[in-house]
Amino acid sequence: MALIKCTECGQEISDMAQACPKCGKPTRVAIKQKSPWGAAILNFFFWFPGYFYVGEYLLGIVFLLIVIAGTIMLCLNLNTPYGHIPWAVMALLADLLISILLAIDGYKRVEKYNQAQLKK
C-alpha cells in the first residue's frame, strides 16, 4: 500500500482508498469504468445499444429507428418479382462496413467517457 496525493485537496491518502477522507473526492479505485470492448461488440452486432451503454440516448434512439426502418423496408421488398440478389449482396457489404465503423465509434466513445469520469 502506498500513499498518493488527492487530486482535489493535496491530502496524502492510501492508494486503496475509495475517496479522500478530507474532501470526499472519489479516487480511481472508486470509479467504475465501462468496457470499450463491450460497447464495440454491442454496436457491431446491434448498432444501437453501445450508445445507451455510455448514456448517449439520442444517438441510440436514432440508430434503433434506422434498424427498424431498414427491417421494414427489407420485409416489404422480399416479395418483389425481379431479381434482388445483387442488391442483397451490396446491402450485406454496406451493413458489414457500417457495423465495423460503429464498433470503432463505440470503442472510442467509451474511452472518452472513461477519461471524463477520471477527471471529475
Side-chain angles (χ1 to χ4, degrees):
M1 232 175 16
L3 292 178
I4 58 172
K5 288 195 179 231
C6 172
T7 57
E8 189 74 22
C9 68
Q11 174 77 25
E12 284 193 348
I13 58 173
S14 167
D15 62 349
M16 302 300 287
Q18 296 287 320
C20 175
K22 184 176 178 185
C23 68
K25 178 165 171 84
T27 61
R28 290 179 184 233
V29 173
I31 297 171
K32 292 186 178 180
Q33 295 189 345
K34 297 186 183 238
S35 167
W37 286 107
I41 290 169
L42 286 171
N43 276 358
F44 181 81
F45 287 107
F46 304 108
W47 286 19
F48 60 91
Y51 295 106
F52 291 117
Y53 184 61
V54 289
E56 295 187 15
Y57 301 109
L58 183 60
L59 268 175
I61 290 169
V62 167
F63 280 109
L64 174 62
L65 294 175
I66 289 171
V67 168
I68 291 171
T71 304
I72 291 170
M73 288 172 38
L74 177 67
C75 291
L76 292 175
N77 288 324
L78 284 179
N79 296 325
T80 56
Y82 51 86
H84 55 275
I85 299 296
W87 292 106
V89 171
M90 288 177 55
L92 285 173
L93 290 175
D95 181 46
L96 181 63
L97 178 64
I98 291 169
S99 295
I100 290 169
L101 293 174
L102 287 175
I104 293 168
D105 182 55
Y107 186 93
K108 289 181 179 180
R109 285 179 188 270
V110 172
E111 282 187 333
K112 283 184 186 178
Y113 174 86
N114 287 339
Q115 288 174 358
Q117 293 297 317
L118 289 174
K119 289 180 182 178
K120 284 184 181 178

